[in-house]
Amino acid sequence: MTIGVDDDESAFSRLEDNKGLAELWLRICGRLKGEVGEVEYRTWLTQIALGPIDGDEITLLLPTRFLRDWVRSQYGDRLNELWHNEVPALRRVELQVARPGDPAPLQLAEVAASPVGSPSAPEEQNPATKPVAEVRSDLVTALDSRFTFDTFVVGKPNEFAYACARRVAEKPSSVGFNPLFLYGGVGLGKTHLMHAIGAELVRSGNVSVAYMSAEKFMYRFIAAIRSQSTIEFKEQLRSVDVLMIDDLQFLIGKDNTQEEFFHTFNALVDAGRQIVVSADKSPSDLSGLEDRLRTRLGCGMVADIHATTFELRISILEAKAAASGVVVPAKVLEFLAHKITSNVRELEGALNRLIAHANLFGRPVTLEATQDVLHDILKAHDRRVTIEEIQKKVAEHWNIRLTDMSSARRARNVARPRQVAMYLAKQLTSRSLPEIGRKFGNRDHTTVMHAVNRVTELMERDAAFAEDVELMRRMLES
Ligand code: ADP
Ligand code: MG
């Protein structure tokens, strides 16, 4: 490797004669690798190419803006120090995005094999073979065998999503909609349904399936960039019949990955592959995702998993209790279904604890034992906040009179806190909209509904406001 240096004053000219720049860089890389560890090093640092030296400044090149920013923020100072230690005259390391025609990254393995190679260069650094195998094994994440259609309890809130998932699992080649977009709050069964699709497809054979979280997708994508195997990565994705990406909301704010996902998505759909995606909100509510991606996501079947009903909670508890082999009296199940309404995950957690307790001590499950064993969980769900309390706290926080909660005044500084109070009343109590309206100066239920929507909308748009409301909520909950 040669670097043209015709300026005697340049820092490079002060290097000792027999030290190649490549060797020097290799040593720095070895140090860095020792400091940050193998995985981090491979993920972020192997893509750095050596750029020109200009006076007391050396330029390092990275293939994308994203990588440049990341390396700059995480390793910039350290790179500066390391270079400066090697060549004291070098005062600055500049990180730039490589342009076409710029030198390629110096491959550690190549250098290691060449005469300038340093003994510290690790042998397993062979980018030509290693990453590909990784992509392959990471593509098919192990499916959780507990999450099947058989163990998924169907009820009103999830029957549509369930039917759509079944459809994908049964006829992946002629589903009739693409993608399937599953959405709903945490712990309501999105991941369960995706794994169930996967399990069913694997069971029926001759269909290949890939499942990964959006986070994993991003990680794989970045790893593919750094090992220059994005083409292989895409081809592997394209080689599966059904691709499932979980928790897509993770991509919000990750513009490069979104962009890549968008292209992959289009390519797969064009190639006739089926895609299943999950998120915590509907495509139109996923603000922060690129418009064209949202539009594309909304083009298939959008299936909402609603909050559980009492009936569904009972059915789920019955099914899980039966599977455990421990006898749990109906009264206890009803009690739990009444008390723990947030989501299935928490409900399941509570039941599991009861069952473990019963197994451990060999005692029958009773209502009394339940209250005892689940003391802490129940307490957390037992906050009975009243509307009066909410009004009082909110009025205090925004410095308005308590009477203004029910007054007819419509000035913004009064109306907004009033709307927040209505919103919190809806969130934290089990009161109906008309009941809430009555407590706020006999307002109509549509006014309450409007308040709830308005506050939700504002919270999405205004982070400071959202934080304020969240703070109120936490204060009221504790
Ligand atoms: P999400 O991905 O929507 O956050 P999960 O799929 O991880 O939720 O579900 C949380 C837990 O609740 C899992 O253990 C899952 O098996 C269970 N669960 C959710 N919905 C159901 C259901 N309808 N029937 C049985 N178990 C369910
Ligand atoms: Mg999930």
Side-chain angles (χ1 to χ4, degrees):
M1 144 150 219
T2 55
I3 295 265
V5 185
D6 38 32
D7 176 2
D8 267 1
E9 291 307 302
S10 84
F12 183 57
S13 65
R14 295 192 200 115
L15 294 176
E16 287 165 40
D17 290 347
N18 56 352
K19 258 193 210 159
L21 191 57
E23 193 186 349
L24 199 152
W25 176 223
L26 192 67
R27 206 162 41 231
I28 292 176
C29 287
R31 291 282 297 275
L32 262 177
K33 194 174 153 226
E35 288 173 16
V36 304
E38 170 84 31
V39 173
E40 208 171 306
Y41 178 77
R42 270 198 285 127
T43 308
W44 305 109
L45 299 164
T46 47
Q47 285 301 293
I48 302 177
L50 286 171
I53 289 179
D54 184 9
D56 59 359
E57 178 179 305
I58 181 162
T59 302
L60 299 180
L61 303 164
L62 283 137
T64 66
R65 229 177 54 208
F66 171 73
L67 276 174
R68 180 206 55 194
D69 294 346
W70 181 267
V71 168
R72 182 184 282 157
S73 69
Q74 303 297 312
Y75 311 102
D77 291 346
R78 192 60 192 136
L79 278 167
N80 253 315
E81 279 167 19
L82 288 169
W83 274 101
H84 183 67
N85 288 347
E86 290 286 344
V87 191
L90 267 184
R91 308 221 158 265
R92 234 172 81 76
V93 173
E94 169 72 11
L95 292 163
Q96 278 181 13
V97 179
R99 279 171 306 211
D102 274 341
L106 192 58
Q107 300 294 343
L108 270 187
E110 269 169 39
V111 177
S114 75
V116 288
S118 132
S120 68
E123 266 169 46
E124 69 276 12
Q125 282 286 334
N126 189 345
T129 52
K130 214 171 171 213
V132 179
E134 266 174 25
V135 171
R136 186 68 252 170
S137 62
D138 269 17
L139 198 56
V140 187
T141 310
L143 296 167
D144 190 322
S145 61
R146 290 169 308 160
F147 297 164
T148 63
F149 284 124
D150 287 344
T151 57
F152 191 83
V153 180
V154 186
K156 267 255 149 12
N158 59 27
E159 63 187 5
F160 183 62
Y162 173 82
C164 295
R166 269 232 103 107
R167 168 101 201 160
V168 172
E170 272 156 21
K171 290 200 173 90
S173 55
S174 59
V175 173
F177 50 79
N178 205 5
L180 167 57
F181 189 101
L182 296 169
Y183 78 95
V186 274
L188 295 181
K190 300 181 295 293
T191 299
H192 188 135
L193 277 181
M194 291 177 114
H195 281 240
I197 294 173
E200 186 65 27
L201 290 171
V202 168
R203 204 171 59 88
S204 64
N206 70 25
V207 184
S208 61
V209 45
Y211 163 90
M212 67 181 102
S213 64
E215 187 176 6
K216 186 81 154 211
F217 179 88
M218 181 176 99
Y219 178 78
R220 293 308 317 154
F221 165 54
I222 290 167
I225 292 178
R226 61 99 177 124
S227 62
Q228 290 172 320
S229 61
T230 45
I231 294 173
E232 286 94 323
F233 179 52
K234 281 183 212 167
E235 250 152 36
Q236 279 162 344
L237 287 175
R238 232 172 295 186
S239 73
V240 301
D241 299 300
V242 180
L243 172 67
M244 300 190 279
I245 305 283
D246 206 352
D247 289 321
L248 200 77
Q249 70 274 3
F250 178 83
L251 295 192
I252 286 174
K254 322 269 189 325
D255 294 351
N256 285 4
T257 315
Q258 255 182 56
E259 169 105 20
E260 184 51 35
F261 178 73
F262 180 72
H263 290 308
T264 307
F265 181 94
N266 287 337
L268 285 167
V269 171
D270 289 346
R273 311 302 190 208
Q274 181 66 35
I275 297 179
V276 182
V277 163
S278 87
D280 62 352
K281 297 201 190 75
S282 72
S284 53
D285 286 341
L286 279 174
S287 45
L289 273 199
E290 249 190 87
D291 283 347
R292 54 181 189 167
L293 178 54
R294 282 196 296 172
T295 311
R296 242 0 255 264
L297 289 170
C299 277
M301 185 65 80
V302 178
D304 182 355
I305 306 185
H306 299 271
T308 57
T309 57
F310 179 73
E311 290 72 29
L312 179 60
R313 289 196 293 279
I314 287 285
S315 309
I316 291 174
L317 286 169
E318 280 171 355
K320 305 222 178 218
S324 78
V326 170
V327 181
V328 185
K331 243 197 309 189
V332 170
L333 297 184
E334 271 169 40
F335 174 74
L336 290 179
H338 259 302
K339 287 283 185 183
I340 303 176
T341 56
S342 46
N343 65 48
V344 184
R345 186 173 297 146
E346 294 202 20
L347 196 63
E348 201 176 21
L351 183 68
N352 285 344
R353 202 199 286 182
L354 268 191
I355 290 168
H357 194 266
N359 281 332
L360 194 61
F361 295 104
R363 277 195 231 130
V365 178
T366 62
L367 201 51
E368 216 183 1
T370 303
Q371 276 164 323
D372 200 30
V373 174
L374 301 180
H375 178 73
D376 53 333
I377 299 180
L378 293 171
K379 203 168 141 222
H381 286 82
D382 204 23
R383 42 183 157 74
R384 289 261 167 271
V385 188
T386 63
I387 294 183
E388 287 75 12
E389 262 176 73
I390 294 173
Q391 292 178 328
K392 190 159 160 284
K393 273 264 165 25
V394 172
E396 268 168 25
H397 184 79
W398 269 280
N399 222 349
I400 63 170
R401 286 190 311 242
L402 185 57
T403 50
D404 275 334
M405 285 291 164
S406 35
S407 77
R409 289 183 57 202
R410 301 174 114 196
R412 166 82 70 88
N413 69 325
V414 174
R416 186 55 41 81
R418 191 190 292 132
Q419 286 181 324
V420 171
M422 290 186 201
Y423 168 87
L424 289 170
K426 181 78 192 81
Q427 298 278 311
L428 300 178
T429 73
S430 51
R431 303 269 168 231
S432 66
L433 295 175
E435 281 176 289
I436 296 173
R438 274 199 290 282
K439 299 260 186 184
F440 287 84
N442 264 328
R443 285 180 156 79
D444 191 40
H445 76 277
T446 53
T447 308
V448 182
M449 203 153 69
H450 174 73
V452 172
N453 293 337
R454 186 82 188 110
V455 170
T456 311
E457 209 178 282
L458 277 175
M459 285 176 75
E460 267 168 22
R461 249 191 289 139
D462 181 345
F465 177 75
E467 222 174 87
D468 243 16
V469 176
E470 276 308 315
L471 187 76
M472 288 266 76
R473 178 217 288 277
R474 253 177 280 136
M475 274 163 42
L476 286 159
E477 274 178 340
S478 58

